[in-house]
Amino acid sequence: MIRVAILISGGGSNMRALVGSMQGDHPCRTVLVASNDPTASGLVWAAEQGLATAAVDHRAFGGDRAAFEAALLEPILAAAPDILCLAGFMRILSPAFIGPFTGKKLNIHPSLLHKYPGLHTHQRALEAEDTQAGCSVHEVTPELDAGPILGQARVAVLPGDTADTLAARVLVQEHRLYPQVLRRFALGQRDRIDLG
Ligand code: GRF
């Protein structure tokens, strides 16, 4: 059984999709859901599923990123994950944190990388008058949102779209893409998939 830990910051809709996919003949199981926000509603849902959860409030470390990451690393290392999935995790992690998980850490980002790393991706796509938008799952490397892309899903930008309507349409695709990429990644498949 391949052990998967998932990091969230809020509702964790991607986490819920991942958890829901890891059953039956799936090679993975969720061993921890952790968050930088103790009030993240995704933690409540995960606990209701009987999953182990952990929360380390980054605000308690007054900007000391290293101390926060060391505290967050404790429950994660205790869960001994083989794969770490960032899913709506909104903190930037330093190379020191990424180090132990080199080659086994994934993130989902709501843009067609390498376009629009960082925040406000949908607003930026609208302002650029892009005709397509979407999401990407990539391996996490020290450079933000820049690791090898393992999968992408595309949606059309529609007339009248706002950042919110576009985000909602992309989120549906995120919930399709991430579980498919995780399963393939766990099976050692690294060739990229593209969902329409
Ligand atoms: C999603 O758009 C995800 O791509 C981004 O955060 C948003 C919320 O994710 N990283 P979730 O619902 O918490 O999984």
Side-chain angles (χ1 to χ4, degrees):
M1 185 263 280
I2 296 172
R3 303 169 63 85
V4 175
I6 306 173
L7 297 189
I8 65 171
S9 292
S13 71
N14 276 288
M15 173 272 294
R16 302 177 198 214
L18 290 173
V19 168
S21 74
M22 287 184 263
Q23 53 188 308
D25 68 348
H26 196 296
C28 301
R29 288 299 182 275
T30 308
V31 293
L32 179 71
V33 174
S35 180
N36 62 293
D37 181 350
T39 70
S41 58
L43 290 175
V44 174
W45 182 87
E48 286 168 353
Q49 308 305 309
L51 296 173
T53 62
V56 176
D57 189 339
H58 68 278
R59 289 161 298 200
F61 295 85
D64 183 342
R65 183 185 301 274
F68 161 65
E69 291 185 355
L72 182 60
L73 211 46
E74 270 183 41
I76 294 173
L77 292 178
D82 301 300
I83 298 173
L84 192 56
C85 288
L86 307 186
F89 187 70
M90 303 309 274
R91 307 300 298 171
I92 293 175
L93 294 165
S94 70
F97 187 96
I98 294 168
F101 302 102
T102 299
K104 51 185 182 178
K105 193 169 177 195
L106 305 179
N107 180 47
I108 189 157
H109 179 76
S111 81
L112 295 173
L113 290 173
H114 294 293
K115 290 180 81 169
Y116 314 132
L119 297 174
H120 313 302
T121 59
H122 303 305
Q123 191 56 44
R124 290 153 69 189
L126 290 171
E127 286 164 1
E129 297 182 352
D130 290 354
T131 56
Q132 281 198 323
C135 51
S136 308
V137 176
H138 62 93
E139 279 194 51
V140 175
T141 57
E143 187 186 352
L144 180 68
D145 297 333
I149 294 173
L150 295 168
Q152 289 196 323
R154 294 171 184 278
V155 303
V157 177
L158 301 177
D161 257 334
T162 63
D164 288 343
T165 60
L166 188 50
R169 199 174 317 121
V170 170
L171 197 57
V172 171
Q173 297 307 314
E174 293 179 34
H175 300 161
R176 285 178 66 212
L177 178 67
Y178 212 167
Q180 290 188 43
V181 171
L182 172 61
R183 186 182 186 117
R184 294 164 60 85
F185 187 80
L187 295 169
Q189 296 161 3
R190 295 289 185 274
D191 49 316
R192 168 177 164 159
I193 58 171
D194 282 281
L195 305 184

